Amino acid sequence: MISNPVTWAVRISVRCWRHRAVFKGLPGASGVGSWRWYSAPTRSSVSVMEEILARVIVPLPSYETRDKFPPPPESTSLEFMNFYRGLEKEDKVDFLSKLSEECGVDHKLVSELAVKLLDTQRRDQATILQAEDRLRYSLTPRYKQLFSHVSRVEGGVKFLVDLRADLLEILTSKASESPHIRDLNSTLKSLLSEWFSVGLLRLERITWQSPCEILQKISQYEAVHPVRNWTDLKRRVGPYRRCYAFTHAAMPGEPLVVLHVALTEDISNNIQSIVREFATLDAEEDINKINSAIFYSISSTQAGLQGVELGNFLIKRVVRELQSEFPHMAQFSSLSPIPGFSSWLQGLLSQYRKEGRAADLLSEQEWKEVEKTIDSSPGTPPVDSLRKLLATSEWTRSEKLSHALEPVLMRLCAWYLYGEKRRGYALNPVANFHLQNGATMWRINWRADTSPRGMANSCGIMVNYRYFLNETSKNSALYLQNKVVAASEQVLGLVSQFQKNSKL
């Protein structure tokens, strides 16, 4: 963080001179007064920020004139956008802090109106309602109006999505723990939730004939199973595959959330058969071989839309699309990764060793089998050898060791998915996502992802969350309201084994 205000102002001034040509082309930016702050390298950082905010943040119109107040010129929004884009990362923290603290709600006015509302409680209903409406209006932060105006200019919505991504990074990294920053983030999230409501989104099927720019972004944004090359991408949008994305009119050419689907005979139990299957590249689809839809990758592309519900609506829309295309299709399931399982497992082994309970995790016979196949140093506790072994994928090269560890890792993984909670909901984010949608935790699959990434994240294990369409609404309500996880007999059986072994 720059502590010398003169240095900060010089740096800002240099960047602003660099972008001066941009501002000269803006409406209303031709006069000297429109960019006079560029040529003031000795001004403090505070005055530079105050001046830009004074120009772009207009006072909240009075309650009586709220519908008659003319909007500011478009150049004001463009000026704000260009100024913010020109800031360095650490300067954005300062600027957003100042924006949130000085351009928010008039707390004194809110307090006065709250007192007036209390005074009206014995009066007629119309008077009470008007007092409530005045109070509600006074709770509007001034920067909310700025965001609304920015959203109306070309590229404005995308700018605000990226600005919220900056806010989330600030909060996550604790670059600022100001409650004003949190309130700014909450206000912007609320606006984005309105602008990106499902009724305003467009569902697009991505094919090999889609624009090259879209295909390239689909490849770049794939976060679950990286696309290796153009041939790989062509296969993922070709026969026996479907790729869908939500788009928004305010962000043309930008897929917001992307869902990849495999059309199969049965519910797939490994990802290799989906992402590495070359036979489908030029095949003709046989409708008789399409009984199941496997959702094997869903990726949100915009960090600034975190917390704005898009993925769950996308799955529901895609199910309707597939039912329309394949009326006989009856099986819908995900084939999902289990991020975080390996790191959780390492922590669990460490905890049990510390508590002297390591023997509880495996049966006596399982420990014997593992010790037989582990080449550990004399005197090394078996649990330490196991931790070291699982930290790499070397164990997968031994058929004996893999066979010995399968029942152990399967029941540990089942417990991680089913039993480990945060505030009563599934700790694993992918599990939480599908369970909120009403899916059933249906099948845990051994050696389902043998890629280096899959082995590192989850010891190669994946899980199917199955969507029984006549049960999803009930399952979703039970999970969200009562924190009940719908699970199959296989999953519950593995959970029971874990509880028995670990004395839970």
Side-chain angles (χ1 to χ4, degrees), residues 203 205 241-244 259 261-263 290 292-295 315-329 331-332:
L203 180 67
R205 180 183 167 190
R241 301 290 181 267
R242 295 293 185 271
C243 178
Y244 295 94
L259 177 66
V261 185
L263 307 178
I290 298 176
S292 307
I294 312 301
F295 311 125
I315 286 180
K316 291 170 185 174
R317 286 282 300 275
V318 166
V319 166
R320 290 203 296 270
E321 286 289 314
L322 292 172
Q323 284 182 314
S324 176
E325 187 177 0
F326 305 102
H328 67 286
M329 184 178 286
Q331 298 186 134
F332 298 90

Side-chain angles (χ1 to χ4, degrees), residues 95-165:
F95 185 64
L96 291 173
S97 296
K98 197 163 189 64
L99 173 67
S100 64
E101 290 173 19
E102 298 182 8
C103 304
V105 169
D106 184 339
H107 299 291
K108 182 181 178 184
L109 176 60
V110 168
S111 299
E112 292 172 355
L113 290 173
V115 171
K116 287 182 180 179
L117 176 60
L118 289 174
D119 292 340
T120 64
Q121 293 307 299
R122 294 187 179 182
R123 302 187 59 182
D124 61 279
Q125 195 66 35
T127 303
I128 294 173
L129 290 173
Q130 187 180 58
E132 287 176 345
D133 197 44
R134 281 179 177 272
L135 178 58
R136 189 181 301 113
Y137 179 70
S138 71
L139 287 167
T140 305
R142 285 196 294 153
Y143 52 68
K144 183 176 180 180
Q145 283 209 314
L146 171 66
F147 294 158
S148 296
H149 296 314
V150 167
S151 72
R152 297 168 192 166
V153 304
E154 186 176 354
V157 171
K158 171 62 173 169
F159 169 84
L160 292 172
V161 169
D162 293 339
L163 188 146
R164 181 163 184 261

Side-chain angles (χ1 to χ4, degrees), residues 158 206 211-230 232-233 236-237 243 253-258 260 297-302 453:
K158 171 62 173 169
I206 310 300
C212 184
E213 294 79 6
I214 290 287
L215 288 169
Q216 188 169 6
K217 286 179 179 178
I218 293 293
S219 175
Q220 291 171 347
Y221 287 140
E222 173 53 35
V224 184
H225 304 290
V227 177
R228 297 184 297 280
N229 47 47
W230 281 102
D232 187 12
L233 179 61
R236 296 194 194 193
V237 298
C243 178
E254 280 284 348
L256 306 176
V257 58
V258 181
H260 288 272
S297 172
I298 185 165
S299 300
S300 179
T301 68
Q302 308 293 320
R453 185 176 183 177

Side-chain angles (χ1 to χ4, degrees), residues 295 298 315 333-336 429-440 465 467 479:
F295 311 125
I298 185 165
I315 286 180
S333 174
S334 78
L335 179 60
S336 300
V430 180
N432 189 52
F433 170 79
H434 287 290
L435 293 171
Q436 284 187 43
N437 285 349
T440 296
Y465 297 100
Y467 286 79
Y479 181 69

Side-chain angles (χ1 to χ4, degrees), residues 318-451:
V318 166
V319 166
R320 290 203 296 270
E321 286 289 314
L322 292 172
Q323 284 182 314
S324 176
E325 187 177 0
F326 305 102
H328 67 286
M329 184 178 286
Q331 298 186 134
F332 298 90
S333 174
S334 78
L335 179 60
S336 300
I338 312 173
F341 171 59
S342 292
S343 57
W344 171 85
L345 178 58
Q346 288 290 332
L348 184 74
L349 291 171
S350 178
Q351 175 192 333
Y352 270 56
R353 182 190 186 284
K354 188 177 180 180
E355 295 173 356
R357 301 172 55 206
D360 291 345
L361 281 173
L362 280 69
S363 69
E364 186 177 341
Q365 182 59 37
E366 286 170 340
W367 274 122
K368 286 180 181 177
E369 290 293 324
V370 171
E371 286 180 57
K372 274 184 197 176
T373 53
I374 292 178
D375 184 19
S376 57
S377 305
T380 303
V383 68
D384 286 349
S385 300
L386 183 59
R387 283 183 63 204
K388 184 177 179 182
L389 186 72
L390 293 175
T392 71
S393 58
E394 292 297 313
W395 60 274
T396 60
R397 299 181 182 181
S398 165
E399 230 14 85
K400 271 190 176 181
L401 192 53
S402 182
H403 181 73
L405 288 176
E406 180 179 352
V408 176
L409 294 177
M410 286 285 279
R411 67 172 179 260
L412 286 168
C413 186
W415 177 256
Y416 168 68
L417 291 171
Y418 183 90
E420 288 296 314
K421 303 291 175 62
R422 176 184 289 126
R423 300 192 185 102
Y425 298 105
L427 174 66
N428 182 266
V430 180
N432 189 52
F433 170 79
H434 287 290
L435 293 171
Q436 284 187 43
N437 285 349
T440 296
M441 195 178 290
W442 188 65
R443 185 175 66 194
I444 299 174
N445 304 294
W446 180 248
R447 292 185 65 85
D449 184 359
T450 55
S451 69

Side-chain angles (χ1 to χ4, degrees), residues 58 61 65-73 149:
V58 297
T65 63
R66 64 192 185 283
D67 297 324
K68 303 173 184 177
F69 205 80
H149 296 314

